Amino acid sequence: MADTATRTVIRTQGRKAYASFGDRPSGRRHPLVATAMVLPLAALLVVAFGGWDAVVAHASSVGVMLGR
């Protein structure tokens, strides 16, 4: 069987280290915060993988599949 005691000790040490910075927030992020986190990565991916033409083509294809 795997040595799980060592992993458990490491996990609890990590929790103790995090606890010194305050409680971990429970719940969900506000949608605007999530959007602000995602937009820079989305912009980078649009520039890196073909620009707006590819985005428009894919959105159009999805719209056709959904019947709109």
Side-chain angles (χ1 to χ4, degrees), residues 3-41:
D3 183 22
T4 57
T6 306
R7 284 186 272 163
T8 305
V9 169
I10 292 171
R11 273 191 240 134
T12 29
Q13 287 175 350
R15 288 186 192 132
K16 288 177 189 174
Y18 188 81
S20 64
F21 294 110
D23 290 334
R24 183 178 295 190
S26 62
R28 300 183 339 176
R29 285 189 181 93
H30 192 276
L32 291 177
V33 174
T35 303
M37 292 170 64
V38 167
L39 281 179
L41 178 61

Side-chain angles (χ1 to χ4, degrees), residues 1 20 24 44 58:
M1 182 172 258
S20 64
R24 183 178 295 190
L44 176 70
H58 284 96

Side-chain angles (χ1 to χ4, degrees), residues 50-63:
W52 292 109
D53 295 333
V55 173
V56 169
H58 284 96
S60 175
S61 299
V62 170

